[in-house]
Amino acid sequence: MTTAMSHRIGHQPSTKTISITSGKGGVGKSTLVANLGQYLGKKGHRVLLLDGDLGMSNLDIMYNVATAFSVEHVISGRKFLEDIVVEVAPNVSLIPGGSGVFGLSDLNIMEKRLLMEQVSRLEQHFDYMLIDTAPGIADSVLYLNAAAQETLVIITPDPSSVTDAYALIKVLHQRYRENRFSIVCNMVQDQQEANRLYQRFSDVVSQFLCVSLDLVGFVPLDQELRRATKSQQLIIEKSPQASAAVAIRNVGEKLRVFKDIEHTKGGMQFFWEQIVGVA
């Protein structure tokens, strides 16, 4: 029995895996991921961020750190997985991924087993794993979402954001049998607009798909957030009393509640097994 298999059977992994995704770009996804990671870290949780945005990997920029290595170095055998993990803040670490994430399934069986052994060692150190996916419905995006325990879909009042988010949920439901999604309304004026946006979206989804949606929060349009992001700072650090910072903390609290929900999927070990194709 392989190390990965024995680990999976021996006990339920403790790391909670959450993908943060969207139907289209420009919805503030990476900004939300970075700030949520920072918030959970400040609450004492050990957080691992995976930058899975092909060609647009920028979580290191959000944390204003330079990363020398990425998953591509692991694939080539030049580095172990633990070698490329960068601590970007207290309790918060980052796996720089970029295009390397999507080469993981091409590893041969021995390389996959070696990688899973490395993941087993990482498993002991994190409470949460947040996956920043690329937008859209490409296969490389879908399998990151399908492998995670929770899928957090970001929508904005932009009609194309809503349309593309529906398409993303539809494909994940039909192709991967995903039937439960969490929604964050971003770039809204206030709670009322968030509720209206969510209700419109929920009405359309429920009309055509048999899935469960849960509104976990909203983030308002906030000039403080725009200024913080432009200066490569995190809003919850730069302006903790800003409306966007308060809203992000509220979303973070909802993510902490996720820990208590029973799931059919495993944690981080299961996630990586799905990504690399280990049965």
Side-chain angles (χ1 to χ4, degrees):
M1 182 179 294
T2 66
T3 300
M5 185 64 73
S6 61
H7 178 94
R8 184 174 58 186
I9 294 174
H11 69 279
Q12 182 75 3
S14 60
T15 305
K16 179 70 188 166
T17 60
I18 305 170
S19 67
I20 293 87
T21 192
S22 62
K24 70 182 293 291
V27 300
K29 179 171 47 61
S30 295
T31 298
L32 183 60
V33 172
N35 279 281
L36 285 174
Q38 185 75 359
Y39 174 71
L40 292 172
K42 288 172 71 71
K43 299 299 287 187
H45 300 290
R46 296 158 301 176
V47 183
L48 180 63
L49 307 177
L50 172 62
D51 198 335
D53 193 341
L54 175 62
M56 292 291 288
S57 52
N58 57 7
L59 282 180
D60 53 346
I61 296 175
M62 295 297 305
Y63 274 93
N64 199 21
V65 297
T67 55
F69 307 109
S70 71
V71 169
E72 292 178 75
H73 293 85
V74 179
I75 293 174
S76 66
R78 288 175 285 172
K79 293 291 178 180
F80 290 110
L81 185 59
E82 58 192 346
D83 294 333
I84 72 167
V85 176
V86 180
E87 185 175 8
V88 293
N91 289 331
V92 184
S93 296
L94 167 68
I95 296 180
S99 59
V101 172
F102 308 112
L104 291 171
S105 60
D106 296 328
L107 300 177
N108 64 45
I109 187 63
M110 184 57 68
E111 291 169 332
K112 289 178 180 180
R113 288 177 176 174
L114 288 173
L115 177 62
M116 292 313 300
E117 290 178 2
Q118 297 175 48
V119 171
S120 296
R121 292 195 292 270
L122 283 183
E123 178 82 32
Q124 311 305 316
H125 304 293
F126 298 100
D127 302 309
Y128 291 91
M129 181 178 180
L130 305 184
I131 303 102
D132 182 10
T133 81
I137 58 173
D139 287 341
S140 56
V141 177
L142 296 174
Y143 78 82
L144 285 175
N145 284 317
Q149 288 175 323
E150 296 286 343
T151 302
L152 199 68
V153 181
I154 300 176
I155 61 175
T156 73
D158 180 355
S160 63
S161 165
V162 174
T163 301
D164 292 347
Y166 170 79
L168 173 64
I169 289 175
K170 179 180 178 180
V171 175
L172 282 168
H173 175 61
Q174 293 180 342
R175 194 178 301 178
Y176 293 93
R177 298 294 182 262
E178 296 296 314
N179 56 20
R180 190 166 50 80
F181 301 88
S182 298
I183 306 297
V184 171
C185 297
N186 198 16
M187 304 179 183
V188 293
Q189 294 295 333
D190 49 30
Q191 177 77 67
Q192 287 69 36
E193 185 181 18
N195 289 340
R196 290 194 299 270
L197 174 60
Y198 171 74
Q199 194 59 56
R200 289 199 306 271
F201 184 65
S202 179
D203 287 346
V204 172
V205 171
S206 62
Q207 183 176 355
F208 298 104
L209 302 173
C210 186
V211 300
S212 171
L213 300 182
D214 177 34
L215 177 63
V216 300
F218 74 100
V219 180
L221 279 170
D222 186 344
Q223 291 303 317
E224 285 293 325
L225 177 59
R226 179 172 294 183
R227 282 191 286 269
T229 302
K230 191 172 182 179
S231 61
Q232 296 180 15
Q233 294 177 292
L234 302 177
I235 184 69
I236 65 170
E237 296 289 352
K238 182 177 185 293
S239 305
Q241 300 309 314
S243 58
V246 173
I248 289 171
R249 290 198 294 271
N250 290 337
V251 174
E253 282 302 305
K254 287 291 188 71
L255 298 192
R256 296 176 74 197
V257 173
F258 282 170
K259 279 193 69 128
D260 302 323
I261 302 175
E262 291 295 326
H263 296 280
T264 56
K265 294 180 183 178
M268 191 163 76
Q269 188 80 16
F270 176 89
F271 173 85
W272 285 95
E273 288 174 359
Q274 301 309 300
I275 297 305
V276 302
V278 175

